[in-house]
Amino acid sequence: MTTSAVVDELLDRTIALGYSRVGIGFRQRFWPTPDSDGENLAGATVLVTGANSGIGRAIAAGLAARGATVLMTVRDRSRGEAARRDLSAADPDADLVVERCDVSAFADIRAFAADLSGRHSRIDAVIHNAGVLPAQRTDSADGHELCLATHVLGPLLLTELLLPLLAAAPDPRVVLVSSGGMYTQSLDADDIEYQTGTYHGATAYARSKRIQVALLPLLAQRWAGRSVTVAAMHPGWADTPGLTQALPGFRRLFRPILRTPEQAADTAVWLTATTPTPPSGQFWHDRRMRPIHYLPTTRYTETTLEQVWRYCAGAIGLS
Ligand SMILES: NC(=O)c1ccc[n+]([C@@H]2O[C@H](COP(=O)([O-])OP(=O)(O)OC[C@H]3O[C@@H](n4cnc5c(N)ncnc54)[C@H](OP(=O)(O)O)[C@@H]3O)[C@@H](O)[C@H]2O)c1
């Protein structure tokens, strides 16, 4: 292992340093991953959820700067239009289209996917970035715990419905924006909806982010038949409206070292654009593959994983 690889791993394990702007600063300086010539997305259409704010907005800007047509998918059209205006003012060449979909609501997702399929013949990538950390237990329109619905069930359903459009692209990719918080949680196949115990939004959030990552190998296998690759990444800690609202104390404490949304977006943009295509089913941070466990307590069996998958697949009506 090279010295920089050792330092990189140490940064990851200290958490605060690795996830902050210190981590990405070190990695970009000492372990650069140059943008490949292939990072040109001209002609590609990419869909980014939660694109009106924070990291999603920065992902949209980064992909548009590489020439993609970006479908800025938002739950509130006026917030989406405001973000699009700002991004267009900063980059007049950016090709940005606002699309409306609540990614926690199955009926909305079905209608949106049907509408998109009527207007597009191909989608090159889907970036599932939309995220929530609710203060109290909230159920989605379909009666699922909101983090599970927003981070897992909605993205699964939307991707499944868009598979024909993805399969029509030459190198289709799916990217899930997860969180380093998932390292604290295992899978609980008996309480996937978090119905027992006192509800804590941060725990619900981290559990759902763990499920995103845990399902990666199954999704990679499932979608390989359509040549669709899937990756999950975690952005580190970034100063975004979402962080300010959900964790104000954390933000006050760590503000000087929080990443910019652009730094947090970097790996998602890179995973979408880089060539050759990154291997499917992996978890990434700062353009490197990362382990999915650091704690022995978060490990789970194949049986548990299979149970969680069956539950999620059943919830969205997959056979
Ligand atoms: N910031 C961090 O330090 C950090 C760390 C780890 C992971 N992440 C992850 O990064 C992603 C982006 O977070 P952020 O920090 O940029 O937060 P943010 O500023 O709150 O952005 C979240 C975006 O998701 C959208 N959204 C939420 N629920 C939605 C739904 N049901 N349908 C459609 N859009 C929905 C929000 O729309 P509205 O504006 O309409 O609410 C907003 O555009 C999330 O997945 C988050 O979990 C962030």
Side-chain angles (χ1 to χ4, degrees), residues 6-249:
V6 171
V7 177
D8 175 61
E9 194 174 325
L10 283 175
L11 283 170
D12 230 35
R13 289 184 182 244
T14 60
I15 298 181
L17 289 178
Y19 294 10
S20 68
R21 59 171 66 210
V22 176
I24 193 165
F26 169 85
R27 289 163 181 143
Q28 286 180 340
R29 172 134 189 240
F30 294 107
W31 202 354
T33 313
D35 285 6
S36 55
D37 291 342
E39 281 199 45
N40 177 353
L41 292 173
T45 301
V46 297
L47 187 157
V48 183
T49 68
N52 61 291
S53 175
I55 298 168
R57 183 177 138 138
I59 294 172
L63 295 171
R66 285 163 175 76
T69 297
V70 181
L71 307 182
M72 297 177 65
T73 304
V74 301
R75 60 177 162 182
D76 181 286
R77 188 171 281 282
S78 62
R79 284 201 287 275
E81 288 295 350
R84 189 191 60 75
R85 276 195 300 276
D86 288 350
L87 294 183
S88 294
D91 178 2
D93 293 333
D95 188 1
L96 304 163
V97 181
V98 175
E99 302 281 356
R100 209 215 66 84
C101 179
D102 178 335
V103 301
S104 72
F106 298 166
D108 233 39
I109 294 168
R110 289 186 194 285
F112 175 53
D115 178 40
L116 272 186
S117 304
R119 291 187 282 123
H120 289 270
S121 54
R122 125 185 179 201
I123 288 186
D124 295 81
V126 177
I127 322 302
H128 294 291
N129 160 81
V132 282
L133 196 164
Q136 62 265 318
R137 191 193 168 87
T138 313
D139 281 351
S140 72
D142 307 281
H144 298 286
E145 190 281 320
L146 191 62
C147 293
L148 182 73
T150 308
H151 304 147
V152 179
L153 304 179
L156 264 181
L157 179 60
L158 182 57
T159 309
E160 287 284 330
L161 294 171
L162 293 180
L163 278 179
L165 289 185
L166 283 163
D171 181 13
R173 305 183 192 185
V174 173
V175 178
L176 294 152
V177 177
S178 184
S179 164
M182 75 93 200
Y183 279 121
T184 64
Q185 298 295 317
S186 185
L187 295 178
D188 185 349
D190 297 324
D191 192 17
I192 298 170
E193 297 275 1
Y194 201 162
Q195 274 157 337
T196 57
T198 308
Y199 183 89
H200 296 289
T203 307
Y205 173 88
R207 286 186 184 183
S208 65
K209 296 286 185 179
R210 163 61 75 183
I211 297 175
Q212 287 185 316
V213 174
L215 292 181
L216 280 174
L218 303 183
L219 297 178
Q221 198 180 13
R222 181 176 174 86
W223 295 334
R226 311 296 285 264
S227 299
V228 176
T229 60
V230 58
M233 52 75 69
H234 85 83
W237 296 340
D239 197 1
T240 63
L243 188 82
T244 305
Q245 200 210 339
L247 301 171

Side-chain angles (χ1 to χ4, degrees), residues 237-238 243 246-255 258:
W237 296 340
L243 188 82
L247 301 171
F250 178 91
R251 180 186 182 247
R252 261 194 309 279
L253 193 62
F254 288 104
R255 193 171 177 188
L258 291 178

